[in-house]
Amino acid sequence: MTFELIIAEQRGRVGLITLNRPQAMNALNDQVVNEITAALDGFEADDNIGAIVITGSDKAFAAGADIGAMAQFSYMDAYKSEYITRNWERVKTCRKPVIAAVAGFALGGGCELAMMCDIIIAADSAKFGQPEVKLGILPGAGGTQRLPRAVSKAKAMDLCLTARLMDAAEAERAGLVSRVVPADKLLDEALAAAATIAGFSLPVVMMIKESIGRAFESGLNEGLLFERRVFHAAFALNDQKEGMAAFVEKRKPDFRHD
Ligand code: CO8
């Protein structure tokens, strides 16, 4: 897959998307988001891909939505075209696990893009923030909803209302990121985590992702019921037979992803 503002490539069973708009700190304009969408469509349709990593540069994962592109918008321009919101849900709807590997700035829409992913692995250089208030707008791609779920109401209010940035250590303490690694190890760590996931049974991985998603989108009882139904369904998989047989026979499982 060839794109202009991102690079999409395959590393074993992992699909890697690198945002590549260095002159604008990977600011997310329509074209960038459309290209991410197209790359995800390709990886999702490819049976040889089991997990996806989205990353940026050393300086910026993404410094937000493209401010220049929005600056002169009227209400109707934004509303009618659903500018950038219309194509943003693709990361969320991806059924395969997506890891955000974040170094440098993840601000505004960049932080929101990272939060749409399933796991955020941060370099020690990462800085997260929702500074939209400084521009006279508010987060528009889930920041006011996902951030409080990730880091608590108090910290989300603090970040969104004061526009201060949160470094990687604070983000890990607050629960936004799953691990912090040295900047020069970021991509290796993220790709290794993705390769581990991609080595497991893809349908089981998808079931786990969907079930954990339920924890955020439904009440406890409904979530538990969903988990139980999906757990029962796992016994229909060849990979369940293989995984348990391998354990009993003390050998490595050979998952066929069915
Ligand atoms: N949009 C467009 N261009 C940008 C952006 C951006 N978000 N961020 C940086 N750039 C450009 C700069 O204009 C500059 O371009 P040029 O060299 O042509 O002047 C280049 O990138 C380098 O940036 P700086 O010179 O500013 O680099 P610094 O190292 O001094 O600062 C910062 C880096 C701190 C990241 C700084 O650039 C900055 O504050 N950027 C803006 C951050 C921001 O406010 N982000 C929020 C944007 S609004 C948003 O994301 C809304 C999301 C909700 C809608 C989502 C739709 C669904």
Side-chain angles (χ1 to χ4, degrees), residues 3-4 20 42 85 93 123 137 152 171 193 200 226 240 254:
F3 298 102
E4 267 181 52
N20 188 29
T85 52
T93 61
I137 57 168
S152 82
F200 295 126
F226 182 85
Q240 174 270 323
D254 177 16

Side-chain angles (χ1 to χ4, degrees), residues 21-29 33 59-60 62-70 82-89 104-112 116 127 129-135 137-143 165:
R21 202 186 169 207
Q23 70 285 6
M25 294 263 170
N26 287 333
L28 301 160
N29 62 12
V33 181
K59 281 194 188 148
D66 189 317
I67 298 168
M70 293 185 288
E82 280 201 279
Y83 178 67
I84 74 177
T85 52
R86 75 174 164 270
N87 48 10
W88 270 67
E89 292 293 293
F105 295 106
L107 306 183
C111 186
E112 292 169 311
M116 283 179 206
K127 285 194 174 10
Q130 298 287 163
E132 287 90 339
V133 68
K134 290 204 303 198
L135 299 168
I137 57 168
L138 62 147
L165 306 190

Side-chain angles (χ1 to χ4, degrees), residues 210-223:
E210 199 176 3
S211 296
I212 293 179
R214 281 286 162 137
F216 292 93
E217 286 152 21
S218 66
L220 180 60
N221 282 336
E222 195 194 325

Side-chain angles (χ1 to χ4, degrees), residues 107-166:
L107 306 183
C111 186
E112 292 169 311
L113 174 63
M115 288 193 290
M116 283 179 206
C117 298
D118 302 304
I119 298 172
I120 303 177
I121 299 181
D124 47 17
S125 64
K127 285 194 174 10
F128 297 87
Q130 298 287 163
E132 287 90 339
V133 68
K134 290 204 303 198
L135 299 168
I137 57 168
L138 62 147
T144 65
Q145 304 304 302
R146 291 197 177 93
L147 195 58
R149 283 168 169 78
V151 304
S152 82
K153 174 185 159 190
K155 204 172 275 286
M157 287 281 190
D158 182 359
L159 294 169
C160 292
L161 292 175
T162 71
R164 83 171 172 87
L165 306 190
M166 176 164 71

Side-chain angles (χ1 to χ4, degrees), residues 157-207:
M157 287 281 190
D158 182 359
L159 294 169
C160 292
L161 292 175
T162 71
R164 83 171 172 87
L165 306 190
M166 176 164 71
D167 68 17
E170 183 181 0
E172 188 183 30
R173 280 198 305 278
L176 179 66
V177 314
S178 67
R179 25 180 145 156
V180 179
V181 300
D184 60 350
K185 299 273 185 306
L186 175 67
L187 192 57
D188 287 347
E189 291 270 348
L191 287 171
T196 298
I197 293 167
F200 295 126
S201 167
L202 180 57
V204 172
V205 160
M206 288 165 63
M207 286 172 176

